[in-house]
């Protein structure tokens, strides 16, 4: 699982990365955490395959909400905001984050936020088993755009442009 953290406070980032690795490990997940201290660096260097982004709200050049809006247009990822300003949580609703973590309550908020993310992650990754004749085929529903029929066949059209034909 890939996690990206973006916060201009390097001391806090180190603390957050350590806690994230610990919490995910307790839940049985191995995570690769990539840290950014500058939102513009994230925009230019991120490969776009993170499962979740932990973003500070107040950062130089681009705040976390604008960053999330930009990333949301290009990625199917989840967002969790982290801030010392409790009053900013309402502004984050524009990008529909999974959670809002208060830095002064990191211990309690982080555990709950990770739990909420994992529920959504597992929901999105839900697979169904379809049959191709007698052969079972596992399909991740969130990757299917639509189904079409062609005589005795069903065609699955995927987000990446692939098609799979099942009898």
């Amino acid at each position: 699982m890939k996690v990206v953290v973006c916060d201009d406070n390097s001391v806090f980032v180190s603390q957050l990365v350590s806690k994230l690795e610990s919490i995910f490990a307790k839940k049985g997940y191995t995570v690769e955490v990539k840290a950014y201290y500058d939102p513009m660096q994230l925009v230019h260097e991120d490969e776009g395959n993170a499962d979740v982004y932990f973003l500070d709200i107040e950062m130089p050049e681009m705040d976390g909400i604008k960053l999330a809006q930009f990333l949301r247009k290009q990625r199917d990822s989840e967002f969790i905001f982290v801030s010392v300003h409790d009053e900013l949580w309402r502004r984050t609703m524009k990008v529909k984050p999974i959670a809002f973590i208060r830095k002064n309550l990191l211990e309690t908020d982080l555990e709950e936020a990770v739990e909420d993310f994992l529920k959504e992650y597992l929901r999105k990754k839900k697979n169904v088993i379809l049959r191709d004749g007698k052969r079972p085929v596992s399909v991740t529903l969130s990757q299917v755009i639509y189904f079409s029929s062609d005589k005795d066949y069903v065609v699955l059209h995927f987000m990446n442009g692939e098609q799979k034909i099942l009898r």
Side-chain angles (χ1 to χ4, degrees):
M1 187 174 306
K2 295 192 179 189
V3 176
V4 170
V5 173
C6 186
D7 192 309
D8 56 336
N9 181 333
S10 61
V11 173
F12 177 76
V13 169
S14 297
Q15 180 184 12
L16 179 58
V17 167
S18 174
K19 289 184 185 305
L20 283 169
E21 290 171 341
S22 173
I23 290 170
F24 277 103
K26 273 193 328 193
K27 297 187 179 300
Y29 291 90
T30 303
V31 292
E32 175 189 326
V33 182
K34 175 95 174 167
Y36 293 93
Y37 306 100
D38 176 0
M40 298 313 291
Q41 181 187 12
L42 189 153
V43 166
H44 296 300
E45 293 179 12
D46 184 46
E47 299 91 31
N49 56 0
D51 296 298
V52 62
Y53 289 85
F54 286 80
L55 305 176
D56 185 16
I57 295 177
E58 292 191 326
M59 294 185 285
E61 294 187 56
M62 178 185 280
D63 70 43
I65 296 168
K66 288 181 182 151
L67 177 59
Q69 288 171 327
F70 173 80
L71 295 171
R72 172 85 66 206
K73 291 176 187 172
Q74 304 164 2
R75 296 159 174 80
D76 183 27
S77 300
E78 298 302 332
F79 297 94
I80 296 174
F81 288 101
V82 183
S83 182
V84 293
H85 301 286
D86 295 0
E87 70 279 4
L88 295 178
W89 73 267
R90 188 173 243 127
R91 286 185 42 219
T92 68
M93 294 300 116
K94 294 176 187 175
V95 289
K96 300 179 180 143
I98 289 291
F100 183 92
I101 296 171
R102 300 164 291 183
K103 286 184 178 180
N104 58 336
L105 296 172
L106 183 64
E107 295 291 329
T108 55
D109 287 359
L110 185 59
E111 186 94 29
E112 186 178 329
V114 169
E115 190 67 39
D116 291 344
F117 162 70
L118 288 173
K119 285 178 190 170
E120 183 64 15
Y121 176 79
L122 293 173
R123 185 191 69 76
K124 277 185 167 182
K125 300 295 181 193
K126 188 171 187 172
N127 285 7
V128 295
I129 305 297
L130 302 175
R131 297 241 176 251
D132 185 9
K134 292 185 180 186
R135 183 177 59 96
V137 176
S138 179
V139 175
T140 304
L141 282 180
S142 64
Q143 298 301 309
V144 177
I145 298 174
Y146 66 95
F147 298 86
S148 63
S149 66
D150 184 13
K151 297 183 182 159
D152 293 335
Y153 300 92
V154 173
V155 182
L156 286 70
H157 301 266
F158 292 93
M159 291 171 63
N160 64 5
E162 283 184 37
Q163 294 182 356
K164 185 175 282 208
I165 300 172
L166 304 176
R167 182 166 178 82

